[in-house]
């Protein structure tokens, strides 16, 4: 294991432990405030298509955000985890359009292909932390780094986090992809 990989592993462990200790009421309130900031952001207000994800466990919540985006007439595409760890995408048509999948995920039932993320005007991704320069730390599978590599330069790419996960020094490897912003209950930070 390389020193950078070991540093990432230790940081992920620390961040996941902190998330596990976060009260569910705080998770819910944070999700509401983060959704408000994103829905007010000019990039999201003018977007026709938003790529997002269905949060699980103590991840910053996305349920309210997904419903609000759909209610506002945005086309929302969500990831489908493929066996090789890459991401296909499908259309969100409300909570009933989602099916249980591996790893406790909920995924859309239709399939648009791995390149569908490139059609989004806004790409919202999960993460565990983001550096002051926009380098995102994910869970280590590389799924979102692959997806972000397909997104055209200039697209608003934003990681959803808790306040204390923004501005963290993140170890970086060559395959890691930066995001252009981070959204948390305190607001949106652009890089």
């Amino acid at each position: 294991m390389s020193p950078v990989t070991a540093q990432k592993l230790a940081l992920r462990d620390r961040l996941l432990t902190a998330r596990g200790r976060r009260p569910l009421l705080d998770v819910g309130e944070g999700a509401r405030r983060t959704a408000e900031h994103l829905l007010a952001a000019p990039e999201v207000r003018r977007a026709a298509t938003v790529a997002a994800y269905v949060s699980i466990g103590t991840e910053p919540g996305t349920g309210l955000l997904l419903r609000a985006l759909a209610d506002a007439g945005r086309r929302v595409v969500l990831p489908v985890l493929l066996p090789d760890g890459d991401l296909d995408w499908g259309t969100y048509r409300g909570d009933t359009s989602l099916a249980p999948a591996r790893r406790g995920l909920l995924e859309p039932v239709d399939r648009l292909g791995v390149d569908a993320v490139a059609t989004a005007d806004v790409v919202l991704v999960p993460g565990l932390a983001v550096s002051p320069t926009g380098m995102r730390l994910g869970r280590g599978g590389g799924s979102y780094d692959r997806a972000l590599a397909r997104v055209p330069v200039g697209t608003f790419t934003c990681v959803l986090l808790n306040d204390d996960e923004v501005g963290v020094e993140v170890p970086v490897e060559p395959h890691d992809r930066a995001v252009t912003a981070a959204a948390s209950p305190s607001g949106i930070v652009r890089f």
Side-chain angles (χ1 to χ4, degrees):
M1 179 182 306
S2 77
V4 174
T5 302
Q7 291 170 348
K8 283 183 168 183
L9 197 59
L11 182 55
R12 279 188 192 102
D13 186 53
R14 182 172 61 80
L15 293 165
L16 286 168
T17 298
R19 277 192 180 176
R21 293 183 178 138
R22 199 174 299 275
L24 287 180
L25 285 175
D26 291 355
V27 174
E29 177 60 18
R32 184 190 63 74
R33 290 174 49 208
T34 300
E36 287 174 358
H37 296 304
L38 283 166
L39 293 168
E43 298 91 345
V44 175
R45 283 198 324 263
R46 67 176 173 254
T49 299
V50 176
Y53 64 97
V54 179
S55 59
I56 58 170
T58 56
E59 284 183 326
T62 60
L64 175 69
L65 176 63
L66 295 175
R67 288 186 290 279
L69 288 167
D71 290 347
R74 304 294 178 275
R75 176 177 177 249
V76 179
V77 295
L78 301 175
V80 176
L81 184 62
L82 297 173
D84 67 356
D86 206 345
L87 297 176
D88 197 337
W89 297 83
T91 309
Y92 174 73
R93 293 185 176 87
D95 294 343
T96 58
S97 69
L98 303 175
R102 297 178 298 134
R103 300 186 189 175
L105 300 172
L106 289 173
E107 298 174 338
V109 294
D110 68 331
R111 299 292 182 270
L112 303 170
V114 296
D115 292 323
V117 68
T119 68
D121 305 298
V122 167
V123 179
L124 305 176
V125 298
L128 295 173
V130 70
S131 76
T133 60
M135 294 309 298
R136 172 191 153 274
L137 178 70
R139 293 204 180 231
S143 300
Y144 280 94
D145 288 316
R146 283 183 257 180
L148 287 170
R150 296 182 179 107
V151 175
V153 172
T155 301
F156 182 72
T157 55
C158 183
V159 60
L160 279 58
L161 298 168
N162 297 301
D163 291 333
D164 58 350
E165 298 165 345
V166 178
V168 174
E169 287 304 325
V170 172
V172 177
E173 294 178 282
H175 67 269
D176 291 330
R177 299 290 176 166
V179 291
T180 61
S184 71
S186 292
I188 297 176
V189 177
R190 288 172 174 80
F191 305 110

